[in-house]
Amino acid sequence: MRQPPWMHALHQQIADAGPALIIASSTTRLWQWLRAVKPPVIVIGSQLWEQKEQGVLAPLILRPASFIRSLREKDSLPGTVIVLQDQLNGSGPSFIPWQDGSRELMLSAIDFLLFQRFRPPVFRICAAHPGRLTLQAIDMTLPAFQPDRFPVYADTVYPAFMDEISIPLPDWEAEHTFACKNPAQLQILLSDEMRLLECVLRESLLRQDDALHRSLLQALQLRQTGIMQRTSATNGT
């Protein structure tokens, strides 16, 4: 099947950029480009695309922790890296809070760490134009730029990305995962998952009342209490 001209153009743009750090949103267009062109890039993402269509893109996709481990003793990026920040959710030291207007988001630190360590050129894949993708350079040489401060990095890299996904993009596939970057939404999701697991354990106890199932249920209930307390603190209640 013949590829549309924009796919070849994007491939050439990324090849010319050399080993670079690229921020992108998880659009169907990007998925189709990765599948059709099979470019020599590393994609930092999650199971959202690892498992899509029987894992056809799984060989391209790495989790942040796995990629960081692969960089030991490396002096430069091993190739161009596309970071799908909208797929990356979690908490802890590998996620950093960033204020986007009136909302707080927990952003994966992966691209910030890569920029700090290797100082590659930084680009974003623009999806604002219907039916195509283009590569846009991000100016990382601002006079007052302080690369070791995450808020300055994020304020430089992410505003255009946030504006774009707020349009919203008609083929954006990560809307639900991105919503969980808000700490309150993430806690709600975890709470829902805990309640579902509690139902499963209670059903198991009805069939087989033993010490293992009882201890699992008690541990789960303690975890639920902690999540509810954090959610209340986040909401200010």
Side-chain angles (χ1 to χ4, degrees), residues 67-217:
F67 184 55
I68 289 294
R69 285 194 296 269
S70 74
L71 295 176
R72 290 173 183 166
E73 301 181 0
K74 292 280 197 314
D75 296 323
S76 61
L77 279 179
T80 289
V81 179
I82 298 176
V83 176
L84 302 176
Q85 181 71 239
D86 54 5
Q87 292 190 19
L88 305 176
N89 288 326
S91 58
S94 61
F95 286 83
I96 305 178
W98 178 63
Q99 200 70 26
D100 177 38
S102 61
R103 63 179 176 178
E104 183 182 74
L105 301 174
M106 298 299 292
L107 299 183
S108 169
I110 179 65
D111 50 304
F112 177 57
L113 295 175
L114 294 176
F115 180 75
Q116 276 191 311
R117 180 170 173 182
F118 299 117
R119 293 295 194 271
V122 183
F123 297 82
R124 78 179 186 95
I125 293 179
C126 175
H129 303 289
R132 62 190 174 100
L133 300 173
T134 57
L135 192 69
Q136 295 184 351
I138 298 176
D139 182 6
M140 306 300 287
T141 58
L142 302 178
F145 189 72
Q146 296 172 277
D148 294 330
R149 289 185 57 210
F150 177 78
V152 178
Y153 170 86
D155 287 346
T156 304
V157 171
Y158 282 107
F161 171 85
M162 297 299 171
D163 289 344
E164 184 174 271
I165 62 177
S166 298
I167 295 174
L169 299 171
D171 62 339
W172 187 32
E173 299 185 4
E175 182 176 1
H176 295 296
T177 55
F178 179 80
C180 292
K181 284 188 172 295
N182 180 284
Q185 290 296 322
L186 180 59
Q187 294 300 332
I188 290 171
L189 177 65
L190 290 175
S191 181
D192 289 343
E193 290 179 345
M194 291 292 183
R195 281 195 290 269
L196 177 60
L197 184 54
E198 180 182 9
C199 291
V200 173
L201 283 172
R202 287 188 182 279
E203 184 178 345
S204 297
L205 277 171
L206 290 174
R207 296 195 306 266
Q208 183 179 350
D209 186 358
D210 58 29
L212 175 60
H213 283 87
R214 285 196 299 274
S215 65
L216 286 173
L217 183 59

Side-chain angles (χ1 to χ4, degrees), residues 27-94:
T27 61
T28 303
R29 281 166 287 169
L30 181 59
W31 164 272
Q32 291 170 341
W33 177 77
L34 290 167
R35 182 173 183 179
V37 176
K38 297 180 175 60
V41 298
I42 300 156
V43 180
I44 306 299
S46 71
Q47 65 182 10
L48 182 69
W49 279 9
E50 281 177 341
Q51 299 177 359
K52 183 179 176 180
E53 294 188 15
Q54 292 75 51
V56 66
L57 288 187
L60 288 180
I61 297 175
L62 287 176
R63 300 295 181 95
S66 298
F67 184 55
I68 289 294
R69 285 194 296 269
S70 74
L71 295 176
R72 290 173 183 166
E73 301 181 0
K74 292 280 197 314
D75 296 323
S76 61
L77 279 179
T80 289
V81 179
I82 298 176
V83 176
L84 302 176
Q85 181 71 239
D86 54 5
Q87 292 190 19
L88 305 176
N89 288 326
S91 58
S94 61

